[in-house]
Amino acid sequence: MLTQTDNELITRTGPGTPMGEYLRRFWMPALLSKEIPEPDCPPVRVKILNEELVAFRDTNGEVGILDNYCPHRRASLFFGRNEECGLRCVYHGWKFDVNGGCVDMPSEPAESNFKDKVKIKAYPARDWGGFIWAYMGPAELQPDLPEVGWAMVPEDHRFVSRRLQENNFVQGIEGGIDSSHISFLHGGLTPHQRDTNTRQANRQNQPAATTGDPAPRFTVQDTDYGFVYGANRDSGTDEYYWRITPFMMPFFTIIPGQIGDADEKTYSGHGWVPADDENCWMFTYSWNASRPLKEGEHHQASDLEKEPRTLRATINKDNDYMIDREMQRTVNFTGIANGSVQDAGIQESMGAICDRTKEHLGTSDSAIINLRRIYLRGAREIMEGSEPFVPSQGSKYRLRSVSLIQDRSITFDETVPKVLNAATK
Ligand code: FES
Ligand SMILES: [Fe+2]
């Protein structure tokens, strides 16, 4: 559990808040590259860290992320005209380049130098790994772009998507690093039937990823990119089934997925970016280092139908996530069909900002406790005026997850190095 003060501290991310300033030390995914697919295409509204912005791609292909509100009289630049290396406000024609400079002010006399004095808020933006990233922090602290796995492969080796989720970003992350819910939320059938499945899986010495040993043992270890956590489950009498996940600050995970050759596997994961304090963007990425992705290999979160303007899934809280009580009785644990909807539904069900003063955390929540410890430390350091822990991003983020069965004598410490991407060896 957290005190109300600490819960507020980690969940509020607007300008000037300690957590907001901490997150502004990192590059943030803001939208997908394909949402601004070509030079001079229409601008796109973006809301991240409680700031209303617009993204556009100029005539030269450069990407810009500007304040949504024109500095003249505050018209929205979403309605702007993207033309000749700038976004022109359609109210009185002021025009801004990707760096925020005012490059034309036709409403003022030709001899006026007023335009040289006006700037619009502009954040450094990069097209990287299928996302448009923004850096919203102090210029002198701008880190290298994180060399995340999906950015290090050719475009046809990855698939990315995003959608709105109607809860605070911390709830999303806590769901993402919560290994123990796999056996329940995403499990099949009733508890009795699930136990039967577990026994059958163990008898056959199969990895029981979703239906197996429901009480795995967890280990968490801090790293120079965030932390790594692992869960081992019994597999037969001599082996453990290990799932090990790197958590890359400030909010990226890589799902362990199925057992397979680590260099050949397709990996998927999510990053949760605050939109405002009660909504977040779930970015999803899938990639394969060794070959183009095949049809249907992307994460199922990317398959959800969305309302085009809001990017909210059409299966949402207004229709109770299409819960089917008969399915819940006879087929799966939730009665909700899509695993990603199961996650979103249950995370949203906790309230827009979960009241963490009323929780009771157990041993299976160790990764969540570690996340909060790191966030609280960073936010408090910001409040005290000292620089918080920010990983040197760059090549430190060349990581993947681990999913394997191995002899029980092989320890967590011996297995952790397998999260390193082959490219870093
Ligand atoms: S409000 Fe944008 S040019 Fe006047
Ligand atoms: Fe889940």
Side-chain angles (χ1 to χ4, degrees):
M1 86 173 233
L2 289 182
T3 63
Q4 183 60 22
T5 306
D6 284 350
N7 200 30
E8 289 283 309
L9 195 55
I10 60 171
T11 53
R12 305 285 176 186
T13 64
T17 60
M19 194 64 204
E21 292 307 306
Y22 189 23
L23 290 178
R24 283 169 174 78
R25 300 291 195 273
F26 296 84
W27 284 96
M28 297 277 119
L31 70 163
L32 308 182
S33 307
K34 62 191 173 197
E35 292 179 79
I36 44 173
E38 63 207 9
D40 293 334
C41 63
V44 172
R45 284 191 189 94
V46 172
K47 188 174 189 188
I48 49 174
L49 301 181
N50 288 268
E51 293 191 45
E52 291 178 58
L53 308 166
V54 285
F56 72 110
R57 192 182 296 270
D58 77 6
T59 313
N60 295 333
E62 297 286 315
V63 290
I65 294 189
L66 307 180
D67 190 357
N68 174 57
Y69 296 99
C70 176
H72 178 216
R73 290 203 3 245
R74 311 284 292 159
S76 169
L77 286 171
F78 166 76
F79 297 101
R81 192 162 191 276
N82 188 5
E83 52 167 51
E84 294 165 36
C85 285
L87 191 58
R88 191 184 290 280
C89 179
V90 292
Y91 204 177
H92 314 95
W94 293 20
K95 179 176 164 183
F96 305 94
D97 66 16
V98 292
N99 300 312
C102 184
V103 293
D104 195 18
M105 194 179 270
S107 62
E108 292 295 307
E111 64 277 15
S112 165
N113 67 349
F114 188 34
K115 86 172 164 55
D116 302 329
K117 297 181 180 157
V118 174
K119 273 193 82 103
I120 190 169
K121 180 169 71 182
Y123 291 121
R126 301 280 185 278
D127 191 343
W128 175 244
F131 298 158
I132 306 294
W133 302 67
Y135 176 70
M136 301 164 71
E140 67 280 9
L141 297 175
Q142 182 178 313
D144 295 333
L145 279 164
E147 293 179 12
V148 288
W150 66 97
M152 307 309 292
V153 296
E155 202 175 336
D156 61 353
H157 288 219
R158 69 170 165 255
F159 190 88
V160 294
S161 67
R162 70 164 175 146
R163 69 173 161 80
L164 187 72
Q165 195 165 311
E166 295 172 279
N167 56 256
N168 181 265
F169 80 109
V170 180
Q171 261 150 267
I173 302 167
E174 290 180 346
I177 61 175
D178 169 19
S179 292
S180 73
H181 81 266
I182 310 288
S183 317
F184 292 88
L185 185 69
H186 306 310
L189 311 173
T190 65
H192 167 72
Q193 289 166 306
R194 197 178 61 252
D195 291 346
T196 306
N197 271 7
T198 304
R199 285 195 296 275
Q200 282 170 352
N202 285 343
R203 261 204 305 278
Q204 293 159 16
N205 204 15
Q206 294 288 319
T210 56
T211 58
D213 183 355
R217 291 148 296 271
F218 294 91
T219 313
V220 185
Q221 189 177 92
D222 282 350
T223 64
D224 49 8
Y225 51 79
F227 60 89
V228 61
Y229 61 100
N232 69 9
R233 293 166 162 87
D234 293 344
S235 177
T237 49
D238 306 323
E239 294 177 310
Y240 285 137
Y241 171 48
W242 278 98
R243 291 167 70 86
I244 298 181
T245 306
F247 176 78
M248 297 173 281
M249 284 287 286
F251 38 52
F252 298 107
T253 62
I254 304 172
I255 301 163
Q258 299 300 312
I259 294 170
D261 183 319
D263 291 324
E264 307 288 324
K265 261 176 70 168
T266 295
Y267 295 89
S268 291
H270 309 293
W272 289 266
V273 182
D276 54 33
D277 292 342
E278 300 197 344
N279 296 275
C280 63
W281 299 108
M282 190 178 84
F283 284 84
T284 299
Y285 33 86
S286 301
W287 81 97
N288 190 302
S290 58
R291 58 166 174 76
L293 286 188
K294 295 178 196 157
E295 184 73 26
E297 268 193 314
H298 53 262
H299 190 274
Q300 59 183 339
S302 303
D303 292 330
L304 292 178
E305 188 190 337
K306 286 168 282 194
E307 298 164 354
R309 192 167 175 279
T310 61
L311 299 185
R312 181 183 186 234
T314 54
I315 301 176
N316 57 43
K317 64 183 178 186
D318 294 346
N319 46 42
D320 288 326
Y321 311 97
M322 310 286 276
I323 188 169
D324 177 338
R325 297 293 185 182
E326 181 59 16
M327 186 196 290
Q328 185 174 37
R329 207 176 61 78
T330 57
V331 179
N332 71 3
F333 205 53
T334 55
I336 295 170
N338 180 296
S340 190
V341 179
Q342 294 164 2
D343 282 318
I346 221 65
Q347 288 162 21
E348 291 175 355
S349 79
M350 300 156 87
I353 301 180
C354 175
D355 183 354
R356 294 180 175 79
T357 66
K358 295 187 173 139
E359 309 168 320
H360 299 80
L361 301 187
T363 54
S364 65
D365 298 306
S366 48
I368 289 165
I369 293 167
N370 208 50
L371 170 82
R372 295 178 187 178
R373 185 181 57 76
I374 292 174
Y375 274 10
L376 284 169
R377 185 183 63 194
R380 288 183 186 131
E381 283 166 343
I382 293 271
M383 281 201 295
E384 289 159 5
S386 55
E387 262 315 298
F389 163 70
V390 175
S392 61
Q393 291 161 60
S395 61
K396 289 279 190 304
Y397 279 54
R398 293 189 182 208
L399 298 161
R400 57 192 178 194
S401 51
V402 171
S403 174
L404 52 74
I405 292 175
Q406 62 187 8
D407 193 88
R408 292 191 181 192
S409 65
I410 305 173
T411 65
F412 176 74
D413 285 349
E414 289 168 315
T415 312
V416 159
K418 293 182 190 294
V419 303
L420 295 176
N421 186 310
T424 63
K425 283 181 191 162

